[in-house]
Structures are given as C-alpha cells and as structure tokens.
Amino acid sequence: MEYTAEIKVQDMNCELCQQTIQIEVAKLLGVKSVRAVLADKVTRVRFRSDMTSAPAITDAIDGLGYEVKLIRTIPEGSVKTCGEETTLSGFYKCSDSSSERIGEKAMLLDTAPTRHGRTPNTNRQSLVICERVKIQVYGISNNSCVKSIETRISRMPGVESISVSQKLGQAVVNYYPDKVDALTIIETIDSLGFEAKLPAKDRQKNNSKQGSELDLLLTSSFDSDVVEDSSTVAIEMHKLPTKENCKKCILSVTGMTCASCVNSIEKQLLKQKGIFSAIVALMAERADVVYDPDEMTPEAIREVVDDMGFEANIQDVDPGSGDEKLDLVISGMTCASCVATIEGLVKNLDGVISASVALSTSQGHFKYHSNIIGARTIMEAIEDAGFDCELSTDTNQVAVALQHKKTIRKWRNTFFFSLIFGIPVMAIMIYFMVTKNHKMICPGLSLENLLLFICATMVQFVCGRHFYVQAYKSIKHGVANMDVLIMLATTLAYSYSVIAVAVAMIMKKDDSPMVFFDTPPMLLVFISLGRWLEHIAKAKTSDALSKLMTMQATEAILVTLGKNHQILVEKEINIELVQTHDVLKVVPGAKMPVDGKVIDGISSADEALITGESMPVVKKPGNIVIGGSINQNGTLLVEATHVGTDTTLAQIVKLVQDAQTSKAPIQQFADKISGVFVPGIVCLSVITLVTWIIIGYVDITKIPTYEKTEGHNINETEVILQFAFRVAISVMAIACPCALGLATPTAVMVGTGVGAQNGILIKGGEPLEMAHKLETVIFDKTGTITHGVPVVRKVNKFTDSVTLNELIAVAGTAEASSEHPIGVAIVKHAKEILMTESLGKCSKFQAEPGYGLQCQVTNISSMMIKKTEDDNNANIAKEEATLTDDEGQTEDDNNSDKIYDVLIGNREWMKQNRLTVTDDINSVMSDHENKGQTAVLVAVNGVIAGMLSVADSVKEEAAHTVHILKNMGMDIILLTGDNRRTADNIAKQVGITQVFAEVLPHNKVDKVKEIQSKGKHVAMVGDGVNDSPALVQADVGIAIGTGTDVAVDAGDIVLIKNNLLDVAAAIDLSKHTVRRIYINFFFACIFNGLGIPIAAGALSTFGVLLQPWMASAAMATSSVSVVMSSLMLKLYKRPKFSPIPEDDPIPTVV
C-alpha cells in the first residue's frame, strides 16, 4: 500500500534547503517520490508502507537539522497535486528496484554525486550498499550506557540500525556509506564519553569482504569507467582517529542561516585531508573539528570555512584533552622541605603533569590527566605522607584563615607546655653550676641528672610527639624535612645522655657524667616559640587577601519596583541568591552587594580597598558600582550586572590567590637547596662528629673543653665524645631550610597584596620579578595613551547666517540618526554644551558611506540656550574643545519655525553637492588634520557654516607617565595601527620619540620579538583584543582593566583604575619586592652559612662555641626574621612622582 505524507518543514528557507531535503529523502528505502514546496514550507513524500513509515521519514528530515512536524498521512488515490497529475519533473523519484536485496544488502537509488565526485549516468541506477561495521566500545558499564549509544547513533542520518552488547563491549552498526562513514560513527560514540575503535582483525576482514562485493556489484551495474576502487573503504578504515594522532579544535562560525549551511560546511570540511570529523551547530554557531595535526592546522580549518563565505574564529584548540586542575588546601607543612616532599611525591605519580605547593598560603595546585589518575588518588598520596588536605573551595578559602588561627593556638600551647619544663631545667642548671653541689643519689647518678632526666623525658615524648609522627611519615616516603632534623637532634641528645648515665651507674662511678638532658627541653622551647611567631607573621602576610575577602557583602535587599521607581516590595536575601538584572537597594553605610548600574539615587562610594582610589567616587544614575565598595551618604537602587564569581571583587580575589600561590623564578634556587638540605645537614653533622672524635684521639689538647676538665675525675674518651656530640647536635639544631623556603613566597605574597590594594593586580611571582628588569615599554595608542573615544576638540564658525548655538544644535540633531563614532561624538558634544538631553527633529536623512550625510532639521528651540555676546566668544567646550565665533549673535526667538537643510561631511561631499570649499576654510581644515584630527564641515541652507574637528583625546597622565619612565631609564615606544600622521601627533603630545605606525595586529607580535631579539626585556601596555598577542609575547604584559576581557586575560599585570601612572608604580613595586627577596636570602644565608660552621666548632680555637640550645634559638630566629622582613613591604607607599619640568624640551618624533 502506498501513502503520501505531508510534512511541515519550518526551517526550509532557500532553494538549497529544498534540494537537500528532496535529495536526501529520495534515498530512503520505500520512498517513491518526494517534492518540497518552498513557498508553503511543506514536503510531500509518497512511500510504500511495507518498507517505511511517515514518522520514519519525518525523523529523517529532522536528522538533517530542520524543525519538522507531520501534518497528515493520506492513502494513495486520496490526494492529487498538480505535479502528480501532469508531470513528475518536480519530484525526485525512486524506482521499485531500489527496494530489492542483493544478499543481505539493500540497494538504493542515488541521484546525488558518487563518493568519488562523479555523477552517475542518468540512464542507469546508482546502487549504494548498506554496510555493516563492528566497533569495539570501552566504558560500557550498564544498560543506561547501551541505551544512550543506541539512541544517539540511531538518530544519525544514514544509520539503518545499531545493536550494542554490554557483555561483548561491541556495537554493530548498519549504515549507508554515502551519507555517513565509520569514522563519524566512532567519533560520535567517543563524544558520548566512551572510547570506540575498530578491531584490527575485523577491519581487515571487513575491508576485503566489502571490497570484493562492491567490485562485483558495481561491475554488473556500471560501465568500467564508473567502477569505484575497492581500496577506498580500506584506506578510510585505516585513517581512524586515535588519542595519539588527533586533536580537536572549536571554531565560532557566523553567517549560517539554515541547516543547509550546516551541511555544506560539514561536507566541505570532511573533504579536507587530515580532518576526521566535523560537527556544526547552527544555533550555537559553533563547529567542533577533529583533525590530524600532522596534516591539518586549526588556522587552515578556519580558512576553509572563511573561503565558503562564512566568518570563523578559533575559540579553543584541543579542549577536553583530559587535563584537569586540582586545587587543595594543605595543612601540616612546616618548612620548604615539606613543600619539596609533597611536590616530589605527587610528580612521581603516573598521570600527574605538574605540582606546585605554596608554604605561605598552605595551598597546592596540581595538573593531571584525568584518564590516568584522579583527584582522590592525589589527595590520598598527600595524606599518606603525613599531611592533611581538602579541596580548595570558596567556603574553605575563609577556613584557611581559621586554620592559621588554629595553628597559631597549637604552637602557642606547645610553647607554654615546653616552657613549664624548660624554666626548671634552666633553674637546675644555674643552681648546680653556681653551688657546685653535685649530690649523688647512687653511684653514677647525681640529683642534677635525675631532675634533668625527668624534665627532658616529659618534653621529649609529650611536646615532641608531633615531631616524631611527622618525621616518621616523612622518612617512610624516603624524604627528610625539618621535623627529621629536630627529632634527630633531640633524640641524639636524649639517647646519648641516657646511655652515658646508664653506663656510669653500671660501672658504679663516683661521679655522674656530663650529659645533654638540658638540650631537648631548651631546643623544643625555642623551636615552638619560633613556630608560634612565624605563623603569626605568616598570617599577617595574607592580610590584604583577607581584607578583600571580608569586603564581600553577605546579604542584599531585593526590591520590586513600580512606576517611577517606586518601591513596592523589599526583602532581605542571601548574597548567593542575587541574580543578574535584580534591583537591589543599598542604604548609606552598606556594602554594594554585587557589581551593578545605578538606576536611581545619588551618593558616593568608597572604593579605596578595591581600586586604591582614596577619594570617594560620585555615583548617580547610569554609573557603575563595584561590589564590596561602601555606599556613603545616599540610598541607591542598583541593577545587578555581574554576580557570584563574575563580580570584580571575586575576580580580584581569584587573581591575588593565584598570584600568591605561584612561584617566582628566583625561588627555584631555594627549592633546589631545600630538596637536599636536610640530608646534607645530617651528613655534615656526622662528618663533624667523626672529625672531632678523630681530632680528640690524635691530640686531645685540641678539644676546647679539655682544659676545663683537667683535675676532675673524667677520662679522655668521655671528654672527646661529649664535645663531639655537642657540636654535632648544634649543627642539626641551627640548620633550618625554612628561612630559605620562606624568603621568596612571603615577599611575593605581601607584594601582590599591596599591589591589589593600590589597584595593581599582579598575576604571580614571575611578572613581579621580571618587571624590575624591564628596559623597554611599548604603549598601544587607542584606549591606552588616548581615551579611545573620539571627542569634539574645536568648533569653527565661518558665516553669520547661523549662531554658534544653532550650528551645534543643528549638527547634533543631524548626527543623532548616525551610528558613526564621529557622529556620536558630535551628538554628545551638543548635549553637553547646550546642557540638554532633548534633540530637534531630523527628517529626509540620507547617509553616504565615506562622504557624509544630508537631512532636514527642525524644532531645535528646545536645545537652544540664551547666551550673551561675550558667551559666544568664550571657550564653551570641555577640556580642549574650543569654539571660534567672529561676531556675537543673539538667538532668534522664532528659530523653532526654521527649517535647516543640512549637509555634514568631508570636502568631497561638499563638492558633490556643488558647494565651494574656499582656501580659508581649506587652510583651517588642514591645520587640524595635520594635528591628527578629523575635520568635518557643516553646511546649512546651502552655505558652509562651520567646521567641527574631532579626535581621540590624550589621557591627562600620559605625558607624565612617559616622563617618569624615561627617568627610570626606559626606552618608550608607541605601537599603533593608526596612520603615521595621527601617531606622530599623539607621540609628540606625550613625549614619545620612537613610533611604529600602521602596524597590523598580527605584526605587533613581530615588533615585540624584534625588540626582544636585541637582548632587551620588553613590557607591552594595551587594552584591546588586537593587543592580546603582543601582551602574551612581551616579557611583561600590562593590561588596562577597563579594556577587553581578552586583553585582561592575556596581561601579566592588570591596572584596575585605567591610570597610566600605575605602570610606573607597578615597576616600582616590583623593584621593592625583589630587593626585599634579596634581603630575605641574605638573612637566610647568614644564619645557615655562618651559623653552621660556628656550631660545628670552626671558631672553637678562639673560644667561640654554641651550646645546642643557643643553636636552636638562632634557628628559630632565622625563620622569624625572614617573615618579618617580608612584612616590611606592607609599609610600601605609592611613589609621588615629580611633575614634568616646564622647560622640558619637546622631543623629535622619529
């Protein structure tokens, strides 16, 4: 039985859509004829009901990317169309032979070109085989996986059927190779999150079988000149994408209007060598392309799409490659060796790409392959090493501060507990040293040693428990940290003392030996004191970040408005519930909840902690407010524009967090030393012990303590061992890698925090360190040196037929219908000068691109302001805009009835309209054009009445900034795509002598490379998308905060306030920070470089010796001194730059 289906195709908008639907539907089994009517957007399909159905045909059209709806299904004979009654020329017909079977393979009529691009002979039928492919699928875990694969693949055009086996991990697909290929099917399965590939043996078997059957079939159906090569299938099968030979790129594609555009792009891309698959989304305006990087590049793919008449841009290359990032908060780290331990441990795990741990912020950043290792495995490895860690989230960022307080409290309690036993130890030592009353309890054991033993035991195993646990976990993983040194020193002193006393008691000596029971209590007292003070200081290094985080409001007042902004309903909600476009009420003294725009009210806001601006900023309707700033004296209604993590404050906090966690290059030196520091100190301590024992047995008089023991009943061996162990313990006690490890991160942390408070966001330690090495600063022109917005600079009037105010009012009204930037500048100028928001009436408007406009202007009376004759000769423009009027005029009271025929444009426009540009007018225009300004002529009622010069104005601080940077020894360059004349004029105004003009965006990178090739460190200052490649290429990219998001992302330093003086301030801050890092290294090297030799007895011949407790005090002092040194950066103040001398000569531009 035959039926006719009528299907509504909503997106069929062009003839190409019509042809595509007719061709593709005609290929379906059982379809007899098809006709798509473009005018009605209806497709009528005649089909055999025993072979297909109306819903199946509807789904097939839907699979082509169109929105379809089945209207009705009518039995044959019940419907007649004009085309069917007279001729079938409007239909694509299918012969009955298309439904016959050859073996198990279906034969279809193919009216489209063959796979090799040849169109079959119209007198023959092109037969296309329904092929079968077996695909191995990895990752099928349940029936849901089976269903998702079958549902997705069955909807693909050209797929006849699919069967998925969970047990075998295999999918069997029957498909038509003229509409889809195995590669696309495999890629589609991959996109669902599974891994699909064709088994090698099945591929070879399938290739040979299909090739022979295809040859046999085609030989019997076609002449020899149209027989396809059987190797085609085999070649395609071997070109399967794998993780090794394929990459993915995402393009944004604009200009697509319908599904036909999608199909044409996909087909054209798939024809290119090296492209495995292409999926184009019409609504998302996006193309996902999988390609072979050895044969194709993203840029070449973009050019293919561009050549088709669409506009394509590369959005991302190789996204979703399995690389994931993990941010953790790690507690339990005490020194740089802990950092090295965690980094080394995690880097050794399979699948980990990089690991970066910051001691100062207790945070770790890890990058890994998610298909090899997971976040939980990394966390378990860190915890197994003896540290605690948790995921870094917005919630536990606040918990980091609480963790600091907890750690401070812990070390404070440890210090006081150690002090409880440490003070008695000192008292006992002093008492028996002064009285010399060494009372014996029993042979070999004195009262002094007994009391010291009790105190040392309590401290060693109660206060020292934490160090024992951490040292054990560290040694278990084959690494050594500061805890290992501490426990080695205290355990060695305690064990030596216990053994020495036990031996004396066994031998029943008359005297008790000299021991080191005083060392563990005193050592742990000073260590816990040092840790306590160190953590207090470290907590202060993150004050800037803490202040930023506490600025975030926790609640907001949501209001519902009526007419005239009348508040109908208001309620208090959590800040997390605020959505974009919500209207919020901000009362005086409250924090701005989110970023937004003022819609009602006038007030001022304190933005000091965010932008560094000390003075309150006035806020009125239309102004932008920053979340976290404080509303001062008026109630505001604010419409939310950015919420959550999109707010300025949240982004600043994120940037500062990332910066404080990053490592400066100079820190690599400290990391290398810290990695081998503890094993090196242990070896040095052993060498010291052995060396002094050898010296003592060779010549005991070389032992400094020998003379003091003469006359006492102490044998020489005891004297030698006692001194050798003392210096060995002192070496371990004084050595500390913490000072080296804290030298750089604490300074970077404070420096980036201070920068954030001054409106300078520095993205990490590397740009902070690199900025002090800069020798050349390159400025972009538009939006950087200049404001980036054209303004009217001067108005000249050439006739008495109109007054100055009339001229401005007429020009402003005429340009109001124009979208050109120059027109916008003229309209804005007219509103400002005439102090009005209303404009006259403009009619008969016509614009001629490249020349100007003409129109008729009336009703300008509302714009006019009465002015005296003196006012007409005054400077009425803001800043640099000047008005020139030859004679005073008074306003015509009847100007509301006047009709002005207006022409605005360049010289050529005036000439085309038969107006003469006199030599005087031309001279005035040339003067302004030579200054880089655009001269616009205004003709009123057939007479050239005046001229407006429009130009981008230079920022007020630009010349001052250039002067300051030159005084710092910098070479200043202006790099712009603007014309030479304008660039030279701007450069002359600000004092720049080196100018590169008319430079295309991609050539800006080459200019930066050219300067870098001369051995100079280069900074690039810019604000636009076209500056972003150069910002990335430069050693330091400085982005203007008010610029584009692309530029801000590309920059290493972001200037929030859009003040060029911050460029100099950022360089100055960099110099102060790097200088402080060097001072920190000096302190660290002094304590370790000089302290270790002294502790080892190098100066013992001069009577200079360190007791172990003295060494521990020095060690604690080293860490505290480094952190306190870094905190000195908090005293940094922005430099007050000296103004430009009045007699400073204007440089010559080259």
Side-chain angles (χ1 to χ4, degrees):
M1 184 69 178
E2 293 185 358
Y3 290 84
T4 298
E6 290 188 3
I7 303 169
K8 186 74 171 179
V9 184
Q10 203 67 20
D11 299 329
M12 185 168 59
N13 300 318
C14 60
E15 291 183 359
L16 189 56
C17 297
Q18 181 186 31
Q19 294 173 10
T20 300
I21 293 173
Q22 291 182 152
I23 292 172
E24 296 300 326
V25 174
K27 297 176 184 178
L28 299 176
L29 283 172
V31 173
K32 305 289 290 184
S33 62
V34 55
R35 183 182 184 187
V37 182
L38 184 59
D40 299 333
K41 293 188 176 182
V42 171
T43 300
R44 296 184 178 89
V45 184
R46 193 167 64 201
F47 63 92
R48 288 180 53 175
S49 60
D50 59 331
M51 300 182 66
T52 186
S53 64
I57 297 171
T58 305
D59 290 342
I61 301 176
D62 180 69
L64 296 174
Y66 298 94
E67 184 179 345
V68 297
K69 181 181 179 181
L70 179 62
I71 301 175
R72 59 180 176 170
T73 305
I74 306 171
E76 182 63 22
S78 300
V79 62
K80 293 183 180 181
T81 65
C82 178
E84 291 172 344
E85 288 176 342
T86 58
T87 178
L88 294 175
S89 61
F91 286 81
Y92 278 79
K93 295 181 62 183
C94 296
S95 170
D96 289 339
S97 62
S98 64
S99 61
E100 296 176 2
R101 300 279 178 170
I102 299 180
E104 293 182 354
K105 304 191 180 292
M107 319 304 291
L108 294 178
L109 173 64
D110 188 2
T111 58
T114 67
R115 290 162 62 186
H116 290 284
R118 295 186 292 270
T119 304
N121 192 316
T122 56
N123 296 323
R124 302 184 180 93
Q125 292 177 356
S126 173
L127 302 177
V128 181
I129 300 174
C130 178
E131 297 181 357
R132 173 178 293 181
V133 62
K134 293 182 180 179
I135 302 173
Q136 199 69 37
V137 184
Y138 300 95
I140 302 176
S141 56
N142 50 45
N143 288 330
S144 178
C145 299
V146 173
K147 186 176 179 180
S148 64
I149 296 174
E150 289 182 342
T151 302
R152 177 68 182 87
I153 301 302
S154 62
R155 291 179 179 176
M156 294 179 65
V159 174
E160 175 73 10
S161 64
I162 178 174
S163 175
V164 180
S165 170
Q166 177 185 347
K167 183 177 180 181
L168 299 176
Q170 189 178 75
V172 180
V173 185
N174 294 319
Y175 67 98
Y176 298 105
D178 63 318
K179 299 173 67 176
V180 70
D181 56 30
L183 301 178
T184 305
I185 296 172
I186 290 172
E187 175 62 24
T188 304
I189 296 175
D190 276 339
S191 69
L192 297 175
F194 305 95
E195 184 177 353
K197 65 179 182 179
L198 197 70
K201 60 180 182 179
D202 290 346
R203 180 171 64 236
Q204 294 170 359
K205 179 180 178 181
N206 199 29
N207 290 343
S208 61
K209 181 179 179 181
Q210 289 178 348
S212 60
E213 291 181 353
L214 187 62
D215 284 340
L216 178 62
L217 178 64
L218 293 176
T219 302
S220 63
S221 304
F222 293 96
D223 291 338
S224 60
D225 61 331
V226 294
V227 176
E228 298 188 22
D229 186 0
S230 62
S231 64
T232 303
V233 180
I235 293 172
E236 289 182 354
M237 290 299 184
H238 282 289
K239 195 184 175 184
L240 287 174
T242 65
K243 293 186 181 297
E244 290 75 21
N245 77 335
C246 73
K247 283 191 175 183
K248 182 178 181 181
C249 74
I250 298 176
L251 292 84
S252 63
V253 183
T254 56
M256 297 185 294
T257 58
C258 60
S260 178
C261 301
V262 172
N263 292 333
S264 62
I265 295 174
E266 289 180 344
K267 289 179 181 179
Q268 186 64 24
L269 287 174
L270 290 173
K271 289 179 182 178
Q272 308 302 314
K273 184 179 180 181
I275 292 183
F276 294 123
S277 71
I279 301 175
V280 181
L282 176 62
M283 299 305 296
E285 295 188 335
R286 161 176 163 155
D288 294 359
V289 184
V290 178
Y291 65 98
D292 186 346
D294 295 332
E295 298 181 351
M296 182 61 67
T297 64
E299 186 61 29
I301 297 172
R302 185 194 65 79
E303 290 177 357
V304 171
V305 180
D306 277 346
D307 290 342
M308 296 178 66
F310 304 97
E311 185 177 344
N313 292 297
I314 300 172
Q315 283 188 338
D316 200 359
V317 177
D318 203 19
S321 57
D323 293 355
E324 298 286 347
K325 292 182 179 179
L326 174 65
D327 295 334
L328 298 176
V329 177
I330 304 173
S331 56
M333 296 185 294
T334 57
C335 63
S337 292
C338 298
V339 173
T341 298
I342 296 174
E343 289 182 344
L345 187 65
V346 175
K347 284 180 181 177
N348 288 333
L349 297 174
D350 291 337
V352 174
I353 301 171
S354 63
S356 176
V357 179
L359 176 64
S360 54
T361 59
S362 300
Q363 291 189 333
H365 297 283
F366 308 94
K367 191 174 181 181
Y368 62 95
H369 292 300
S370 57
N371 53 349
I372 300 177
I373 193 173
R376 190 174 67 252
T377 305
I378 296 174
M379 295 177 68
E380 288 173 352
I382 296 173
E383 290 172 348
D384 195 37
F387 304 94
D388 295 324
C389 64
E390 59 180 334
L391 292 173
S392 178
T393 62
D394 292 338
T395 303
N396 63 25
Q397 287 299 334
V398 179
V400 172
L402 299 177
Q403 181 63 35
H404 274 303
K405 292 181 180 179
K406 181 180 178 181
T407 306
I408 291 170
R409 186 166 58 250
K410 167 190 166 184
W411 287 111
R412 182 195 63 192
N413 295 339
T414 302
F415 166 69
F416 283 119
F417 189 86
S418 301
L419 196 62
I420 290 173
F421 296 96
I423 291 176
V425 166
M426 294 181 66
I428 293 168
M429 288 173 57
I430 294 172
Y431 173 79
F432 285 102
M433 190 182 300
V434 174
T435 62
K436 301 186 183 299
N437 181 19
H438 301 288
K439 184 178 180 181
M440 302 298 293
I441 302 298
C442 64
L445 176 63
S446 64
L447 177 61
E448 175 187 4
N449 281 345
L450 177 61
L451 294 175
L452 290 176
F453 168 75
I454 294 172
C455 292
T457 301
M458 290 297 296
V459 174
Q460 183 73 20
F461 297 106
V462 177
C463 296
R465 180 179 178 276
H466 166 80
F467 297 100
Y468 273 115
V469 172
Q470 295 301 114
Y472 166 74
K473 291 180 178 179
S474 180
I475 294 173
K476 185 175 70 172
H477 289 87
V479 293
N481 58 13
M482 189 62 201
D483 295 327
V484 173
L485 275 184
I486 293 171
M487 292 322 301
L488 278 176
T490 56
T491 304
L492 185 61
Y494 183 82
S495 301
Y496 171 83
S497 302
V498 171
I499 293 172
V501 171
V503 169
M505 292 175 66
I506 292 172
M507 297 179 66
K508 297 183 178 181
K509 289 190 175 182
D510 296 333
D511 293 329
S512 189
M514 295 182 63
V515 290
F516 306 115
F517 281 128
D518 61 313
T519 297
M522 298 308 298
L523 195 64
L524 292 176
V525 163
F526 285 111
I527 287 173
S528 55
L529 174 61
R531 293 276 176 93
W532 180 27
L533 297 177
E534 177 187 330
H535 281 86
I536 291 175
K538 281 166 62 178
K540 292 185 179 296
T541 61
S542 58
D543 275 354
L545 181 59
S546 300
K547 288 179 181 177
L548 287 172
M549 296 179 71
T550 55
M551 288 177 63
Q552 176 63 60
T554 56
E555 294 180 337
I557 301 176
L558 177 67
V559 299
T560 302
L561 300 181
K563 294 182 179 180
N564 300 322
H565 292 161
Q566 179 185 1
I567 297 178
L568 302 178
V569 180
E570 66 176 67
K571 63 177 180 178
E572 200 171 85
I573 62 172
N574 189 288
I575 194 67
E576 301 292 336
L577 301 179
V578 176
Q579 301 175 2
T580 307
H581 305 304
D582 281 349
V583 178
L584 307 174
K585 177 182 175 181
V586 187
V587 298
K591 296 175 182 176
M592 302 292 179
V594 294
D595 292 358
K597 183 171 66 175
V598 178
I599 60 175
D600 189 56
I602 299 177
S603 182
S604 58
D606 181 2
E607 301 176 349
L609 277 176
I610 300 175
T611 66
E613 178 60 55
S614 58
M615 297 298 293
V617 181
V618 175
K619 300 296 180 183
K620 56 186 180 181
N623 290 155
I624 300 299
V625 297
I626 302 175
S629 59
I630 300 174
N631 183 27
Q632 292 197 321
N633 48 29
T635 300
L636 297 176
L637 292 181
V638 177
E639 180 184 358
T641 57
H642 296 83
V643 300
T645 57
D646 293 331
T647 63
T648 300
L649 181 60
Q651 292 177 3
I652 290 174
V653 169
K654 183 66 169 64
L655 283 173
V656 174
Q657 286 175 340
D658 293 343
Q660 293 184 346
T661 309
S662 65
K663 294 186 177 182
I666 196 173
Q667 191 177 346
Q668 296 174 1
F669 167 73
D671 289 344
K672 290 179 180 179
I673 294 178
S674 299
V676 297
F677 188 89
V678 174
I681 292 300
V682 172
C683 293
L684 186 59
S685 179
V686 173
I687 292 171
T688 302
L689 175 68
V690 173
T691 301
W692 279 109
I693 291 175
I694 294 173
I695 292 174
Y697 279 109
V698 172
D699 185 0
I700 195 172
T701 59
K702 299 292 184 182
I703 303 296
T705 57
Y706 174 71
E707 295 180 357
K708 297 180 181 180
T709 59
E710 288 184 331
H712 295 79
N713 188 18
I714 302 175
N715 61 45
E716 294 182 354
T717 299
E718 185 179 344
V719 172
I720 295 170
L721 292 179
Q722 191 270 342
F723 179 78
F725 274 98
R726 175 196 291 183
V727 293
I729 294 169
S730 296
V731 167
M732 285 190 286
I734 200 171
C736 178
C738 300
L740 277 173
L742 292 170
T744 300
T746 53
V748 169
M749 196 169 186
V750 178
T752 52
V754 169
Q757 289 179 326
N758 285 275
I760 303 169
L761 296 183
I762 304 172
K763 299 181 181 179
E766 186 171 355
L768 185 63
E769 180 186 341
M770 183 60 68
H772 88 287
K773 300 178 182 179
L774 293 175
E775 300 164 276
T776 302
V777 180
I778 302 174
F779 285 96
D780 173 52
K781 182 184 75 69
T782 306
T784 304
I785 291 292
T786 67
H787 286 97
V789 179
V791 295
V792 176
R793 302 292 295 278
K794 193 171 184 179
V795 180
N796 291 84
K797 188 165 70 70
F798 302 132
T799 180
D800 296 333
S801 60
V802 293
T803 66
L804 199 55
N805 288 339
E806 277 185 290
L807 178 65
I808 296 174
V810 167
T813 301
E815 289 287 4
S817 300
S818 172
E819 296 181 355
H820 195 281
I822 292 178
V824 174
I826 293 174
V827 172
K828 181 180 179 182
H829 181 73
K831 290 181 177 180
E832 290 178 350
I833 297 306
L834 301 176
M835 293 179 289
T836 180
E837 288 296 323
S838 62
L839 297 171
K841 181 180 178 181
C842 177
S843 58
K844 299 180 181 180
F845 179 89
Q846 291 182 358
E848 187 69 26
Y851 292 96
L853 62 85
Q854 64 178 354
C855 64
Q856 197 172 80
V857 173
T858 57
N859 299 331
I860 64 169
S861 59
S862 61
M863 300 178 64
M864 306 301 292
I865 300 175
K866 298 286 186 181
K867 290 186 178 293
T868 62
E869 182 176 342
D870 292 334
D871 291 333
N872 289 328
N873 294 322
N875 183 345
I876 65 171
K878 284 189 174 181
E879 299 175 355
E880 300 173 353
T882 306
L883 303 179
T884 303
D885 194 3
D886 296 332
E887 296 181 7
Q889 301 288 338
T890 59
E891 303 297 341
D892 187 352
D893 294 334
N894 298 318
N895 56 23
S896 61
D897 300 326
K898 285 186 178 180
I899 298 176
Y900 302 89
D901 292 320
V902 183
L903 289 171
I904 300 178
N906 53 25
R907 295 178 181 85
E908 290 73 16
W909 185 236
M910 298 299 153
K911 292 177 182 178
Q912 286 185 23
N913 287 276
R914 300 178 182 177
L915 296 180
T916 303
V917 180
T918 64
D919 292 340
D920 292 339
I921 295 176
N922 191 63
S923 176
V924 175
M925 293 182 68
S926 298
D927 289 342
H928 290 288
E929 288 170 344
N930 290 334
K931 296 177 182 178
Q933 301 173 5
T934 300
V936 180
L937 294 174
V938 181
V940 179
N941 296 330
V943 178
I944 298 179
M947 183 206 75
L948 294 89
S949 63
V950 181
D952 190 1
S953 59
V954 174
K955 292 180 179 177
E956 295 79 0
E957 75 278 5
H960 193 191
T961 301
V962 172
H963 173 74
I964 293 166
L965 293 175
K966 284 184 175 180
N967 289 341
M968 289 182 173
M970 306 283 178
D971 294 329
I972 312 300
I973 296 174
L974 182 66
L975 184 65
T976 178
D978 212 336
N979 63 76
R980 167 62 64 175
R981 184 170 59 182
T982 302
D984 287 347
N985 182 267
I986 296 295
K988 186 177 181 181
Q989 292 183 52
V990 299
I992 297 178
T993 57
Q994 298 184 63
V995 178
F996 295 112
E998 301 174 2
V999 180
L1000 297 176
H1002 61 274
N1003 289 335
K1004 288 185 177 182
V1005 176
D1006 297 333
K1007 287 294 181 183
V1008 174
K1009 289 180 179 178
E1010 180 182 331
I1011 298 170
Q1012 289 174 326
S1013 66
K1014 299 176 183 177
K1016 293 186 176 183
H1017 294 93
V1018 179
M1020 174 71 193
V1021 187
D1023 74 318
V1025 173
N1026 60 339
D1027 300 322
S1028 55
L1031 289 171
V1032 174
Q1033 176 60 39
D1035 297 291
V1036 178
I1038 303 176
I1040 305 297
T1042 54
T1044 62
D1045 292 339
V1046 176
V1048 171
D1049 290 341
D1052 300 307
I1053 298 176
V1054 180
L1055 309 181
I1056 300 178
K1057 290 191 296 183
N1058 191 19
N1059 189 333
L1060 288 181
L1061 287 173
D1062 286 344
V1063 174
I1067 296 173
D1068 183 71
L1069 176 61
S1070 169
K1071 291 181 177 180
H1072 278 77
T1073 304
V1074 173
R1075 188 183 307 126
R1076 185 57 55 182
I1077 291 174
Y1078 288 145
I1079 293 173
N1080 291 349
F1081 274 125
F1082 172 77
F1083 280 122
C1085 292
I1086 284 292
F1087 282 102
N1088 285 291
L1090 297 181
I1092 292 175
I1094 294 174
L1099 301 180
S1100 60
T1101 54
F1102 302 100
V1104 179
L1105 279 174
L1106 286 179
Q1107 295 287 346
W1109 67 269
M1110 295 179 184
S1112 63
M1115 181 268 290
T1117 305
S1118 66
S1119 298
V1120 176
S1121 64
V1122 166
V1123 180
M1124 294 301 293
S1125 172
S1126 294
L1127 287 175
M1128 296 295 290
L1129 274 174
K1130 297 184 73 173
L1131 303 176
Y1132 173 82
K1133 300 293 183 183
R1134 286 173 60 95
K1136 295 182 179 180
F1137 301 111
S1138 58
I1140 304 175
E1142 294 182 2
D1143 58 347
D1144 197 24
I1146 298 177
T1148 302
V1149 178
V1150 295

